[in-house]
Amino acid sequence: MTILAFILAGTLAAATPLLLAALGELITERAGVLNLGIEGMMALGAAVGFVVTYNTHAPVLGFAAAALAGLALSLVFAMLALGFMANQVAAGLAIGVLGLGLSSLIGKPLESQTLDAPAKLAIPLLADLPVIGALFEQDLVVFLTLALAVVIWAVLNHSKLGLIIRAVGENPSAARALGFRVLRIRLAAVAFGGAMAGMAGAYASTIYTPLWADGMIAGRGWIAVALVVFGTWAAGRIVFGALLFGALSLGGLIAQAAGVALPSQLLASLPYGVTILMLAVISSNRRRMRLNTVASLGQPFAG
Amino acid sequence: MKITFERRAALSRPVLFAAPVIALSLAMLTSLILFAALGKPAGQALYSLLLEPFVGWYNISEVLLKMGPLMLIAQGLAIGFRANVFNIGAEGQLIIGALCASALPVYFPEGSSPLMLPAMIAMGALGGAAWAGIAAGLRVRFNANEILVTLMLTLIATQVLNYLLLGPWKDPHGFNFPQSVTFPDAALLPILLTGTRVNISLLAALLVSALAYVMMRHRFSGYQLLVGGLAPRAARYAGFTEARAVWVSLLLGGLMAGLAGACEVAGPLGQLQRSVSTGYGYSAIIVAYLGGLNPLGIVVSAFLMAALFIGGDNAMVSADLPVAAVFVFQGLLLVFYLASLTFIRHRVILNWTRRA
């Protein structure tokens, strides 16, 4: 495989955990809830997914357990943010700290253990193409995640369910007047986001880098939250953003291919620096932000 | 049965004081169950975590040592939180503060000027403020969310620290450990309590707390800040702006965190290390909330959180608990506190009649 093909293939894999978490957060935020605990839920999912896969040798069980763990933690968030009408920023941070702590606690006994990387699937014909063929030889989750992105786009924009979710996020009082149970819909949206973040963590720890190291999520949950802002709450643009960050996280490989030697710390900082840059560029268009931002985002609703 | 929350006209005073106590009890109970489920000696763990820090003068002095930076940072953060400006990157501002303060002793390891220490403190505080200032500038000028920017800046600060300690600032005689040279005496803070590691930065932190209290209660500027953040539109009509609330909140928050960083390297560490912060910047967020975002409350919650840090170290040895246990406990504490806060702001009404 040439280095270019390697980068192409790696970009999709690196983008997958970001995309899974960001798509979940998209639904949560579209329903009007700001969950900043994604990093913690991803970390918990990563630990639970790793421990279960390590012990059962069944990646599917690992993913399921991770989804449940993320979901459970998101329910704690929902209890605070929806049940007790707590400040959503503070509640998200609390969940983040809790998730990171639980993640280290659970992963501790398996520090530095590894898993077998799962087999890759090649799409017939397409995978045989020169150079870009590598794009079509990925693990199953990559394909499923991309398919899910399409489903989420379709549901949000072209289905009754999507209309309800958006209504609850844009104007919860009106949605309730129409007879929708705002808190229940928000609860479901938060739970979905939690399960997705949990699976995003499991992908990172069991497939992308199948090795347990404490703190391995390393800000990816936060980048996922930022991706929802860059994508201005639209699934298509979020996919694009995730691919960009997937490529950035391969900065080391790309720099090597270009023949430049840079300090590894500079390369590691690259995604964070670009996140700041993109936030500034996209948010500076205040008109577009106002048009796209979910109107009731982060505001508690007394049900 | 239907449960409804009705907003209270005024905050409930008794609940305001009861909430942290209730949160602490529930967090204790939950972690007791959790540790037991993990097969750890739960009773021993809780004893180490909560009581041992207060046994013996040495333990108490270590609690006071940790209390300083937590209190300092939390006071700075609370200014912003009260105005709805969420600086969650104090950890990075602390690291940059520590870096800036360390530059002097790193380049002048034999320095003995009495100006060295004050210059280090000033550089640390300014460095922290400048790092947070990036987020303020981006928020005001480009509308970029300060929560995400301050967090990303923290991740970058960690990489800068690693770069310096693995490269140009590594002690050439340090057996390849990622740490700087040990600082000369002129770069170290005087000890406050003889026989302990507690230095005069604790006094500075208490002074800052007193100032924060005065500013919040008695100065118009504190009020302006609050309104600027909470009701930007109303504030603009009254002649002060959201932009100012953002600048003041972030610069002061960064200043305090940078100061704390400088005091760590010039205090108990005596050199720049990778572990210059053991999560102070994140824990200070919890300290600020547990203290009810009130300068006096923060003094108490900083003491409690410092005890928890020392207790965590003890529990690692006595109950075989990983460091992460402290973070689990901190997270639980904030979760339960936020839940109990609802009862400060709301009256709970139980309605036993079924809805038709």
Side-chain angles (χ1 to χ4, degrees):
Chain A
M1 215 169 12
T2 65
I3 187 103
L4 179 65
F6 197 75
I7 289 169
L8 277 178
T11 295
L12 266 177
T16 297
L18 298 173
L19 190 53
L20 273 171
L23 288 171
E25 178 72 2
L26 171 67
I27 296 291
T28 306
E29 291 195 14
R30 269 303 184 89
V33 185
L34 178 66
N35 183 353
L36 292 180
I38 299 293
E39 178 86 4
M41 301 189 306
M42 261 182 96
L44 180 63
V48 169
F50 190 90
V51 169
V52 171
T53 308
Y54 185 88
N55 287 312
T56 62
H57 304 285
V60 179
L61 283 181
F63 264 76
L68 280 178
L71 190 141
L73 200 54
S74 75
L75 290 183
V76 179
F77 171 79
M79 178 193 81
L80 290 178
L82 304 178
F84 287 108
M85 289 184 283
N87 177 322
Q88 293 184 6
V89 173
L93 294 177
I95 294 304
V97 173
L98 186 58
L100 286 172
L102 286 173
S103 167
S104 319
L105 208 57
I106 293 169
K108 182 87 181 160
L110 293 182
E111 186 72 38
S112 306
Q113 296 296 315
T114 54
L115 296 172
D116 297 327
K120 297 205 164 166
L121 297 176
I123 294 182
L125 299 176
L126 288 175
D128 299 328
L129 291 171
V131 186
I132 62 160
L135 277 176
F136 302 98
E137 195 177 342
Q138 303 280 352
D139 56 81
L140 182 65
V141 185
V142 171
F143 295 123
L144 290 179
T145 303
L146 289 172
L148 192 62
V150 178
V151 171
I152 284 178
W153 168 81
V155 167
L156 264 183
N157 298 295
H158 300 285
S159 78
K160 193 179 165 199
L161 177 63
L163 199 61
I164 296 172
I165 293 174
R166 284 184 291 146
V168 163
E170 291 302 326
N171 193 338
S173 307
R176 192 171 67 160
L178 287 173
F180 296 117
R181 292 173 175 244
V182 172
L183 288 185
R184 251 179 236 189
I185 291 158
R186 287 191 168 177
L187 175 67
V190 168
F192 178 77
M196 290 285 278
M199 286 194 286
Y203 184 84
S205 71
T206 65
I207 297 179
Y208 188 61
T209 40
L211 165 142
W212 182 251
D214 192 20
M216 67 171 304
I217 296 302
R220 277 182 281 187
W222 287 101
I223 290 181
V225 175
L227 276 175
V228 179
V229 181
F230 305 160
T232 50
W233 294 272
R237 291 192 287 261
I238 290 174
V239 172
F240 178 77
L243 289 173
L244 173 74
F245 276 86
L248 275 177
S249 64
L250 300 175
L253 278 176
I254 296 172
Q256 207 184 350
V260 278
L262 290 168
S264 67
Q265 292 86 6
L266 184 68
L267 293 168
S269 304
L270 203 60
Y272 312 137
V274 174
T275 301
I276 295 176
L277 197 74
M278 294 284 288
L279 266 176
V281 168
I282 292 186
S283 309
S284 64
N285 188 339
R286 285 172 201 253
R287 219 171 78 88
R288 195 169 78 186
M289 285 301 278
R290 212 171 306 136
L291 276 176
N292 287 294
T293 306
V294 179
S296 75
L297 188 61
Q299 288 159 11
F301 181 75
Chain B
M1 189 187 76
K2 186 173 153 50
I3 306 168
T4 46
F5 294 108
E6 186 187 272
R7 218 173 164 85
R8 290 179 198 268
L11 300 183
S12 160
R13 283 261 151 200
V15 189
L16 189 63
F17 290 104
V21 178
I22 296 170
L24 186 64
S25 319
L26 287 174
M28 267 164 55
L29 192 67
T30 312
S31 37
L32 199 67
I33 296 169
L34 187 70
F35 296 156
L38 286 170
K40 308 282 182 191
Q44 175 66 44
L46 226 52
Y47 169 77
S48 303
L49 216 51
L50 294 168
L51 290 177
E52 216 176 316
F54 305 108
V55 176
W57 177 230
Y58 174 77
N59 277 336
I60 295 173
S61 78
E62 286 293 296
V63 171
L64 292 175
L65 182 72
K66 296 252 174 202
M67 179 187 174
L70 286 172
M71 185 166 39
L72 207 53
I73 302 169
Q75 296 291 8
L77 294 182
I79 295 170
F81 292 169
R82 283 198 299 267
N84 261 5
V85 178
F86 293 101
N87 172 8
I88 61 166
E91 182 83 358
Q93 293 141 26
L94 182 149
I95 290 172
I96 296 297
L99 279 178
C100 292
S102 302
L104 276 179
V106 162
Y107 289 110
F108 303 100
E110 308 292 334
S112 59
S113 163
L115 290 177
M116 176 119 108
L117 186 63
M120 284 169 65
I121 302 292
M123 283 166 71
L126 291 177
W131 201 245
I134 299 174
L138 291 174
R139 161 81 194 268
V140 169
R141 174 74 184 76
F142 296 107
N143 193 28
N145 180 310
E146 82 280 7
I147 300 176
L148 292 169
V149 173
T150 50
L151 191 100
M152 291 297 146
L153 285 172
T154 297
L155 297 171
I156 294 174
T158 311
Q159 296 296 336
V160 176
L161 178 72
N162 285 342
Y163 170 74
L164 288 174
L165 288 182
L166 293 168
W169 284 16
K170 188 164 68 181
D171 181 3
H173 309 295
F175 304 101
N176 231 5
F177 280 111
Q179 53 197 31
S180 77
V181 292
T182 47
F183 293 176
D185 285 346
L188 297 179
L189 286 163
I191 293 292
L192 181 67
L193 304 168
T194 42
T196 72
R197 300 200 293 162
V198 180
N199 59 57
I200 58 164
S201 66
L202 180 63
L203 288 183
L206 287 169
L207 187 71
V208 163
S209 302
L211 283 175
Y213 181 73
V214 172
M215 180 183 136
M216 187 189 80
R217 292 303 293 268
H218 301 294
R219 290 302 299 239
F220 189 53
S221 56
Y223 177 71
Q224 280 183 327
L225 200 59
L226 193 68
V227 178
L230 287 183
R233 232 173 259 163
R236 215 168 306 134
Y237 292 130
F240 33 88
T241 61
E242 185 189 10
R244 217 181 94 181
V246 171
W247 275 110
V248 173
S249 298
L250 280 162
L251 287 180
L252 282 181
L255 192 81
M256 298 304 164
L259 190 60
C263 291
E264 279 303 292
V265 288
L269 299 180
Q271 65 180 169
L272 186 63
Q273 299 175 350
R274 260 171 124 164
S275 57
V276 59
S277 171
T278 40
Y280 287 133
Y282 297 118
S283 303
I285 298 173
I286 299 177
V287 170
Y289 275 108
L290 279 185
L293 301 184
N294 176 302
L296 297 185
I298 287 171
V299 175
V300 179
S301 62
F303 183 68
L304 181 80
M305 192 63 77
L308 205 57
F309 265 104
I310 300 300
D313 288 346
N314 296 336
M316 260 165 63
V317 182
S318 65
D320 188 30
L321 276 182
V323 198
V326 174
F327 295 109
V328 173
F329 194 89
Q330 284 185 2
L332 287 172
L333 205 53
L334 189 53
V335 165
F336 287 120
Y337 178 73
L338 289 173
S340 53
L341 208 56
T342 307
F343 299 97
I344 299 177
R345 297 220 176 93
H346 300 86
R347 204 186 302 278
V348 180
I349 296 165
L350 300 179
N351 190 350
W352 293 92
T353 51
R354 289 184 66 88
R355 276 194 300 178

mmCIF file of all heavy atoms in Angstrom, chain A residues 244-268:
data_model
loop_
_atom_site.group_PDB
_atom_site.id
_atom_site.type_symbol
_atom_site.label_atom_id
_atom_site.label_comp_id
_atom_site.label_asym_id
_atom_site.label_seq_id
_atom_site.Cartn_x
_atom_site.Cartn_y
_atom_site.Cartn_z
ATOM 1 N N LEU A 244 -12.191 15.693 7.969
ATOM 2 C CA LEU A 244 -11.081 16.647 8.067
ATOM 3 C C LEU A 244 -10.247 16.357 9.309
ATOM 4 O O LEU A 244 -9.016 16.298 9.257
ATOM 5 C CB LEU A 244 -11.644 18.072 8.125
ATOM 6 C CG LEU A 244 -10.619 19.172 8.393
ATOM 7 C CD1 LEU A 244 -9.780 19.403 7.150
ATOM 8 C CD2 LEU A 244 -11.307 20.476 8.808
ATOM 9 N N PHE A 245 -10.928 16.124 10.453
ATOM 10 C CA PHE A 245 -10.186 15.874 11.685
ATOM 11 C C PHE A 245 -9.550 14.503 11.686
ATOM 12 O O PHE A 245 -8.508 14.306 12.300
ATOM 13 C CB PHE A 245 -11.087 16.085 12.895
ATOM 14 C CG PHE A 245 -11.141 17.510 13.272
ATOM 15 C CD1 PHE A 245 -12.042 18.359 12.663
ATOM 16 C CD2 PHE A 245 -10.235 18.034 14.176
ATOM 17 C CE1 PHE A 245 -12.056 19.704 12.956
ATOM 18 C CE2 PHE A 245 -10.249 19.379 14.473
ATOM 19 C CZ PHE A 245 -11.163 20.213 13.863
ATOM 20 N N GLY A 246 -10.198 13.560 10.991
ATOM 21 C CA GLY A 246 -9.570 12.250 10.847
ATOM 22 C C GLY A 246 -8.237 12.391 10.141
ATOM 23 O O GLY A 246 -7.218 11.841 10.569
ATOM 24 N N ALA A 247 -8.228 13.182 9.063
ATOM 25 C CA ALA A 247 -6.989 13.395 8.315
ATOM 26 C C ALA A 247 -5.957 14.111 9.175
ATOM 27 O O ALA A 247 -4.776 13.757 9.192
ATOM 28 C CB ALA A 247 -7.284 14.202 7.051
ATOM 29 N N LEU A 248 -6.428 15.115 9.945
ATOM 30 C CA LEU A 248 -5.501 15.874 10.793
ATOM 31 C C LEU A 248 -4.824 15.004 11.835
ATOM 32 O O LEU A 248 -3.654 15.190 12.148
ATOM 33 C CB LEU A 248 -6.268 16.974 11.528
ATOM 34 C CG LEU A 248 -6.470 18.266 10.786
ATOM 35 C CD1 LEU A 248 -7.318 19.196 11.635
ATOM 36 C CD2 LEU A 248 -5.119 18.900 10.498
ATOM 37 N N SER A 249 -5.585 14.038 12.372
ATOM 38 C CA SER A 249 -5.002 13.217 13.419
ATOM 39 C C SER A 249 -3.949 12.276 12.840
ATOM 40 O O SER A 249 -3.196 11.654 13.578
ATOM 41 C CB SER A 249 -6.085 12.442 14.172
ATOM 42 O OG SER A 249 -6.702 11.548 13.295
ATOM 43 N N LEU A 250 -3.913 12.171 11.519
ATOM 44 C CA LEU A 250 -2.843 11.396 10.889
ATOM 45 C C LEU A 250 -1.694 12.322 10.498
ATOM 46 O O LEU A 250 -0.860 11.980 9.662
ATOM 47 C CB LEU A 250 -3.361 10.691 9.645
ATOM 48 C CG LEU A 250 -4.509 9.707 9.871
ATOM 49 C CD1 LEU A 250 -4.999 9.184 8.544
ATOM 50 C CD2 LEU A 250 -4.043 8.560 10.745
ATOM 51 N N GLY A 251 -1.693 13.525 11.099
ATOM 52 C CA GLY A 251 -0.697 14.532 10.746
ATOM 53 C C GLY A 251 0.719 13.991 10.679
ATOM 54 O O GLY A 251 1.493 14.339 9.784
ATOM 55 N N GLY A 252 1.041 13.106 11.613
ATOM 56 C CA GLY A 252 2.387 12.548 11.650
ATOM 57 C C GLY A 252 2.737 11.825 10.360
ATOM 58 O O GLY A 252 3.788 12.041 9.763
ATOM 59 N N LEU A 253 1.777 10.985 9.923
ATOM 60 C CA LEU A 253 1.996 10.226 8.686
ATOM 61 C C LEU A 253 2.120 11.145 7.487
ATOM 62 O O LEU A 253 2.980 10.960 6.625
ATOM 63 C CB LEU A 253 0.808 9.287 8.453
ATOM 64 C CG LEU A 253 0.828 7.980 9.202
ATOM 65 C CD1 LEU A 253 -0.451 7.225 8.928
ATOM 66 C CD2 LEU A 253 2.033 7.173 8.756
ATOM 67 N N ILE A 254 1.232 12.146 7.469
ATOM 68 C CA ILE A 254 1.213 13.056 6.332
ATOM 69 C C ILE A 254 2.520 13.834 6.275
ATOM 70 O O ILE A 254 3.135 13.986 5.212
ATOM 71 C CB ILE A 254 -0.008 13.998 6.412
ATOM 72 C CG1 ILE A 254 -1.290 13.167 6.305
ATOM 73 C CG2 ILE A 254 0.042 15.051 5.310
ATOM 74 C CD1 ILE A 254 -2.564 13.939 6.566
ATOM 75 N N ALA A 255 2.974 14.308 7.450
ATOM 76 C CA ALA A 255 4.224 15.065 7.491
ATOM 77 C C ALA A 255 5.382 14.187 7.017
ATOM 78 O O ALA A 255 6.250 14.616 6.256
ATOM 79 C CB ALA A 255 4.478 15.570 8.903
ATOM 80 N N GLN A 256 5.333 12.928 7.454
ATOM 81 C CA GLN A 256 6.386 11.989 7.069
ATOM 82 C C GLN A 256 6.394 11.791 5.554
ATOM 83 O O GLN A 256 7.441 11.793 4.911
ATOM 84 C CB GLN A 256 6.112 10.658 7.761
ATOM 85 C CG GLN A 256 7.331 9.838 8.012
ATOM 86 C CD GLN A 256 6.955 8.504 8.620
ATOM 87 O OE1 GLN A 256 5.817 8.269 9.013
ATOM 88 N NE2 GLN A 256 7.916 7.612 8.683
ATOM 89 N N ALA A 257 5.171 11.681 5.010
ATOM 90 C CA ALA A 257 5.053 11.486 3.567
ATOM 91 C C ALA A 257 5.597 12.698 2.823
ATOM 92 O O ALA A 257 6.214 12.568 1.769
ATOM 93 C CB ALA A 257 3.592 11.261 3.191
ATOM 94 N N ALA A 258 5.368 13.884 3.395
ATOM 95 C CA ALA A 258 5.840 15.098 2.749
ATOM 96 C C ALA A 258 7.322 15.326 3.025
ATOM 97 O O ALA A 258 7.918 16.255 2.496
ATOM 98 C CB ALA A 258 5.028 16.295 3.235
ATOM 99 N N GLY A 259 7.896 14.487 3.879
ATOM 100 C CA GLY A 259 9.320 14.563 4.134
ATOM 101 C C GLY A 259 9.731 15.670 5.090
ATOM 102 O O GLY A 259 10.855 16.141 5.070
ATOM 103 N N VAL A 260 8.829 16.144 5.939
ATOM 104 C CA VAL A 260 9.214 17.153 6.927
ATOM 105 C C VAL A 260 9.256 16.532 8.319
ATOM 106 O O VAL A 260 8.397 15.728 8.666
ATOM 107 C CB VAL A 260 8.244 18.355 6.957
ATOM 108 C CG1 VAL A 260 8.568 19.345 5.865
ATOM 109 C CG2 VAL A 260 6.804 17.913 6.858
ATOM 110 N N ALA A 261 10.250 16.916 9.097
ATOM 111 C CA ALA A 261 10.367 16.429 10.463
ATOM 112 C C ALA A 261 9.862 17.508 11.413
ATOM 113 O O ALA A 261 10.408 18.594 11.456
ATOM 114 C CB ALA A 261 11.820 16.074 10.775
ATOM 115 N N LEU A 262 8.785 17.227 12.130
ATOM 116 C CA LEU A 262 8.233 18.191 13.082
ATOM 117 C C LEU A 262 8.188 17.517 14.445
ATOM 118 O O LEU A 262 8.060 16.301 14.532
ATOM 119 C CB LEU A 262 6.816 18.584 12.669
ATOM 120 C CG LEU A 262 6.683 19.440 11.401
ATOM 121 C CD1 LEU A 262 5.233 19.501 10.955
ATOM 122 C CD2 LEU A 262 7.236 20.828 11.646
ATOM 123 N N PRO A 263 8.276 18.314 15.524
ATOM 124 C CA PRO A 263 8.165 17.710 16.849
ATOM 125 C C PRO A 263 6.811 17.015 17.000
ATOM 126 O O PRO A 263 5.799 17.544 16.521
ATOM 127 C CB PRO A 263 8.276 18.901 17.800
ATOM 128 C CG PRO A 263 8.738 20.054 17.001
ATOM 129 C CD PRO A 263 8.455 19.761 15.567
ATOM 130 N N SER A 264 6.803 15.862 17.641
ATOM 131 C CA SER A 264 5.553 15.115 17.754
ATOM 132 C C SER A 264 4.496 15.916 18.521
ATOM 133 O O SER A 264 3.309 15.784 18.253
ATOM 134 C CB SER A 264 5.804 13.787 18.457
ATOM 135 O OG SER A 264 6.158 14.019 19.801
ATOM 136 N N GLN A 265 4.944 16.752 19.457
ATOM 137 C CA GLN A 265 3.972 17.532 20.235
ATOM 138 C C GLN A 265 3.227 18.526 19.354
ATOM 139 O O GLN A 265 2.051 18.796 19.556
ATOM 140 C CB GLN A 265 4.659 18.293 21.372
ATOM 141 C CG GLN A 265 5.206 17.416 22.467
ATOM 142 C CD GLN A 265 6.600 16.912 22.161
ATOM 143 O OE1 GLN A 265 7.218 17.302 21.177
ATOM 144 N NE2 GLN A 265 7.113 16.049 23.023
ATOM 145 N N LEU A 266 3.949 19.056 18.351
ATOM 146 C CA LEU A 266 3.306 20.005 17.446
ATOM 147 C C LEU A 266 2.212 19.286 16.651
ATOM 148 O O LEU A 266 1.100 19.785 16.489
ATOM 149 C CB LEU A 266 4.343 20.618 16.506
ATOM 150 C CG LEU A 266 3.801 21.690 15.571
ATOM 151 C CD1 LEU A 266 3.398 22.924 16.360
ATOM 152 C CD2 LEU A 266 4.829 22.060 14.519
ATOM 153 N N LEU A 267 2.545 18.078 16.201
ATOM 154 C CA LEU A 267 1.570 17.314 15.425
ATOM 155 C C LEU A 267 0.371 16.929 16.286
ATOM 156 O O LEU A 267 -0.763 16.975 15.837
ATOM 157 C CB LEU A 267 2.232 16.064 14.845
ATOM 158 C CG LEU A 267 3.296 16.376 13.795
ATOM 159 C CD1 LEU A 267 4.114 15.139 13.473
ATOM 160 C CD2 LEU A 267 2.648 16.938 12.548
ATOM 161 N N ALA A 268 0.658 16.576 17.554
ATOM 162 C CA ALA A 268 -0.435 16.196 18.445
ATOM 163 C C ALA A 268 -1.354 17.383 18.705
ATOM 164 O O ALA A 268 -2.554 17.210 18.926
ATOM 165 C CB ALA A 268 0.125 15.658 19.762
#
